[in-house]
Amino acid sequence: MSHLLLICALLCFHEPFVQGQQTDQKALFDDFATTSIHRSRLNFSSTAPHIFSSVHGFLRQGYNTYFNHGFSIVPCEIPSFTPLYHGWLNDEPPKSPEWLASTPQMAYGIMGSTRNSFMSTYQTTQPAKCLYIDGASGRLGNDGTLDTQMLLLYGNITGPAGKNGTGEFLWDEYARAQGLCAWLRDRKFDDPGHGIEAIVRMSAGFELIWCNFSSPSLRLVSRFNASVPLLGYNRTSLITEKSEETEAASSVGTRGEPEVDLPAPEWEIDWEHEPFVASQQWDWFTSMSRTYDMEDMSSEREPTIRLLDSDVVSLYSPDFPDLQTRMADDEREQYNFTKVGFWEGAKTLELRHAALQALTRRRHRHRAGNLSPHEITTLRQNMEKMVSRLLSQEDPHIKPVSWSRTSDLIINTFAKPLMHFQKLLQHDQYPLKPHNPSVLSTRKKFALLRERAHAMLMPFFSYQPQHQHHESSLHRCKSTYLPNNNNNNNNNNNNDNNDNNTTHHFLIQAFEETLHNICTTLIIVGISIEEVWLEQFNNNGNTAARLG
């Protein structure tokens, strides 16, 4: 869950500032306590915020480093004239399938510093379709990063039946790459130049499994021997000299461990003389971190890939109820949820903030694990339907929706204003006590709080008495970002405005629910602030007396 949803949770569970009394502007609050908006609570058993959050994280390196257990597979495209790189130990063309890196440093980092290091540079000749598996899906291990692709290929998370339980297959990347490309080939989804050409995954950075190097979508730009001149001295003797210098220094100053170079790859015969064994690793990781930003989850996406995310296969969708029931059961006791998914709160403010922070990070612990046979079948069928729709594009009435772009618009609209608002709530106190010496400063602070709330509400919230119950304000807030939602005040009866023009209704539902929670929270907080303002501060005269 993103920071945006954390702040919504913080605001939604805040106690009212004060109990509002009857005022001259009562119409603003008429029947508010009986409306569905006022009764709204966040249901933490819902997967809607996880769907929204994962879509927002597509192709973002920092995001997928932390939320590394991917639950989604998404169509994508490598634009024309995109350079891609391959490092190898001879000058022979790569066999299919093989990996391509998005930076030359990554390709060299894997296969550099040998006496036969060859660098190949390729370029796409046309847009090449691909499938993106989110999370750290290229990182080897048995902690869940490979689950989605393993379930698709083998129906389990350990591999072929002959190797179940050994864990060895998790490291057999070529078998996995061959399996993914064979899955496409067996369904005739791999037509060179027209079908799915590559699988995109993330390890240290984003990489491509290219299925067929004879495809017209890819051309070889250059291939050359990238081996470098050897050092004129032995690296081992240099390490010994450094160790002797360190020991000599430690006899005078503080004791420390001797400095040594990073270990070289085991296959190097002359590794003692290779000059760039250590630096190539540094260059690799720095090139991969060009878009990495853990502080800003809205950082730039991988620039070599373009998402075609109007269609998504997600294990968070309602098609996988057994998995979601298992996750809800696991979280109920751990996060203090009720049976139906409501948060029961914390005993103190300090515990409350820690608990809410844990709620925002709980997706980090999600793992698909083994699915039921029925859900394995559903996963494979959903994949086939998604790729078929992508390649056929039969229905001219379907309007593609970029869900990642929609999530960006929502985040960019609400995230920073909510973070600013949260800081005002956390760092400023609003004492409403008789004869308080800081009444004036409190009034100014509350006026600032009211201004910030109004700035967020302004695009959709009406203060007019005739707009009671605020349901129309909620509708305006949600419909701004969602496709095919007819505004109540819009007389456009175009037949194109229906949900059949977008694929995968669960995405619309997830985004609508997420927006509903954001907008409802803002309306609740905004109305609460107005109640306090009218009762306590809307008087230029004796404010202290009114507080009494």
Side-chain angles (χ1 to χ4, degrees):
M1 195 187 298
S2 66
H3 289 162
L4 174 62
L5 297 178
L6 160 64
I7 296 166
C8 281
L10 284 168
L11 296 177
C12 198
F13 287 110
H14 265 292
E15 296 298 325
F17 294 101
V18 295
Q19 291 294 327
Q21 305 295 324
Q22 298 284 338
T23 72
D24 292 338
Q25 297 189 30
K26 174 179 177 295
L28 180 64
F29 314 113
D30 272 352
D31 300 322
F32 172 59
T34 63
T35 64
S36 60
I37 293 178
H38 184 265
R39 295 193 302 270
S40 294
R41 295 182 66 185
L42 295 181
N43 187 332
F44 286 94
S45 65
S46 170
T47 60
H50 304 315
I51 294 171
F52 177 86
S53 182
S54 61
V55 169
H56 182 61
F58 287 166
L59 289 177
R60 287 193 162 104
Q61 188 179 21
Y63 189 96
N64 288 282
T65 298
Y66 186 75
F67 298 111
N68 53 3
H69 298 159
F71 271 53
S72 305
I73 302 179
V74 193
C76 56
E77 186 176 77
I78 307 142
S80 302
F81 314 120
T82 299
L84 299 167
Y85 305 91
H86 179 71
W88 199 237
L89 300 179
N90 57 53
D91 62 352
E92 296 179 1
K95 296 181 180 179
S96 300
E98 187 54 78
W99 277 260
L100 293 174
S102 58
T103 70
Q105 291 81 8
M106 181 178 183
Y108 186 78
I110 295 173
M111 291 297 180
S113 288
T114 76
R115 293 300 84 213
N116 290 288
S117 292
F118 282 81
M119 175 69 70
S120 298
T121 300
Y122 289 89
Q123 186 187 67
T124 53
T125 61
Q126 61 184 21
K129 292 184 177 66
C130 51
L131 293 177
Y132 163 58
I133 306 174
D134 75 338
S137 53
R139 197 186 75 186
L140 303 185
N142 59 1
D143 64 345
T145 57
L146 301 173
D147 282 3
T148 306
Q149 55 200 293
M150 297 291 280
L151 291 168
L152 176 66
L153 293 178
Y154 307 109
N156 59 56
I157 59 174
T158 52
K163 296 187 178 182
N164 267 342
T166 66
E168 295 177 2
F169 186 76
L170 293 172
W171 303 94
D172 195 343
E173 275 284 77
Y174 277 99
R176 196 157 27 250
Q178 291 165 359
L180 290 168
C181 294
W183 186 90
L184 295 169
R185 184 174 61 253
D186 293 345
R187 291 155 181 81
K188 302 187 185 303
F189 291 152
D190 68 333
D191 184 15
H194 303 283
I196 304 297
E197 310 264 18
I199 308 295
V200 179
R201 308 185 307 171
M202 192 194 85
S203 55
F206 290 94
E207 61 187 24
L208 285 75
I209 299 173
W210 194 271
C211 288
N212 188 347
F213 276 80
S214 64
S215 169
S217 299
L218 192 71
R219 76 178 184 95
L220 178 66
V221 176
S222 65
R223 179 179 293 122
F224 66 96
N225 191 323
S227 302
V228 299
L230 295 175
L231 295 173
Y233 53 86
N234 192 311
R235 286 165 56 89
T236 304
S237 64
L238 181 62
I239 293 173
T240 303
E241 291 174 7
K242 287 184 178 180
S243 300
E244 292 174 350
E245 292 174 1
T246 303
E247 291 176 0
S250 66
S251 64
V252 178
T254 58
R255 186 176 297 276
E257 295 293 328
E259 295 182 3
V260 297
D261 285 357
L262 293 174
E266 293 180 357
W267 60 77
E268 297 295 351
I269 299 176
D270 293 324
W271 68 270
E272 300 95 337
H273 300 284
E274 291 287 349
F276 303 122
V277 169
S279 64
Q280 74 184 47
Q281 304 298 318
W282 172 259
D283 292 337
W284 172 12
F285 284 104
T286 53
S287 73
M288 290 293 96
S289 62
R290 59 189 175 183
T291 60
Y292 184 96
D293 191 342
M294 281 297 292
E295 295 299 322
D296 182 8
M297 292 298 187
S298 296
S299 57
E300 182 184 355
R301 289 188 171 89
E302 169 57 38
T304 61
I305 309 295
R306 186 172 76 89
L307 292 166
L308 303 176
D309 56 340
S310 62
D311 212 349
V312 174
V313 168
S314 173
L315 296 178
Y316 284 125
S317 80
D319 292 335
F320 302 93
D322 295 342
L323 170 61
Q324 289 158 27
T325 298
R326 169 160 49 90
M327 290 193 299
D329 290 342
D330 292 341
E331 291 183 341
R332 185 174 297 118
E333 183 174 351
Q334 182 176 358
Y335 297 106
N336 198 23
F337 296 156
T338 67
K339 190 173 182 179
V340 294
F342 295 142
W343 184 54
E344 294 193 297
K347 294 181 178 179
T348 67
L349 186 61
E350 290 75 15
L351 291 175
R352 173 192 178 89
H353 281 265
L356 284 169
Q357 188 176 57
L359 289 179
T360 69
R361 298 174 178 176
R362 62 196 172 104
R363 198 172 148 254
H364 174 68
R365 303 172 62 90
H366 290 176
R367 177 176 180 177
N370 283 311
L371 301 182
S372 66
H374 172 72
E375 290 183 329
I376 292 295
T377 300
T378 299
L379 171 63
R380 291 170 174 167
Q381 290 176 344
N382 287 359
M383 280 292 299
E384 291 178 4
K385 291 176 183 177
M386 179 183 71
V387 178
S388 295
R389 285 191 293 262
L390 173 70
L391 299 181
S392 63
Q393 297 179 345
E394 294 176 351
D395 190 347
H397 298 293
I398 291 181
K399 299 176 182 178
V401 179
S402 174
W403 290 106
S404 58
R405 180 178 177 273
T406 302
S407 72
D408 290 351
L409 291 172
I410 295 169
I411 292 290
N412 291 341
T413 298
F414 293 110
K416 288 187 178 180
L418 279 171
M419 292 176 71
H420 185 201
F421 194 83
Q422 181 192 16
K423 289 180 180 179
L424 289 175
L425 288 173
Q426 289 178 335
H427 298 305
D428 290 331
Q429 300 300 316
Y430 302 90
L432 304 179
K433 298 179 180 179
H435 313 299
N436 191 298
S438 62
V439 164
L440 184 60
S441 62
T442 300
R443 187 177 189 279
K444 288 182 177 179
K445 290 178 180 178
F446 208 88
L448 178 60
L449 195 66
R450 186 183 182 224
E451 289 174 2
R452 294 305 91 214
H454 171 72
M456 291 187 286
L457 290 167
M458 175 271 299
F460 59 88
F461 185 78
S462 174
Y463 293 85
Q464 301 306 310
Q466 64 268 29
H467 293 163
Q468 296 182 17
H469 309 310
H470 309 293
E471 299 292 347
S472 58
S473 295
L474 178 60
H475 174 78
R476 282 191 292 272
C477 181
K478 292 192 300 182
S479 62
T480 300
Y481 300 94
L482 297 178
N484 305 315
N485 277 268
N486 292 320
N487 191 294
N488 290 335
N489 298 321
N490 188 349
N491 295 321
N492 183 5
N493 294 319
N494 191 328
N495 291 330
D496 285 344
N497 287 333
N498 58 71
D499 287 337
N500 293 328
N501 290 337
T502 57
T503 55
H504 278 225
H505 192 61
F506 81 90
L507 288 166
I508 298 177
Q509 291 177 327
F511 274 60
E512 183 173 15
E513 182 179 331
T514 302
L515 277 167
H516 178 91
N517 289 333
I518 294 171
C519 300
T520 299
T521 300
L522 289 177
I523 292 173
I524 291 173
V525 171
I527 291 177
S528 299
I529 289 174
E530 288 300 307
E531 288 178 333
V532 175
W533 179 262
L534 290 172
E535 175 61 25
Q536 303 291 351
F537 298 110
N538 195 34
N539 188 341
N540 290 327
N542 189 354
T543 307
R546 294 201 66 191
L547 286 171

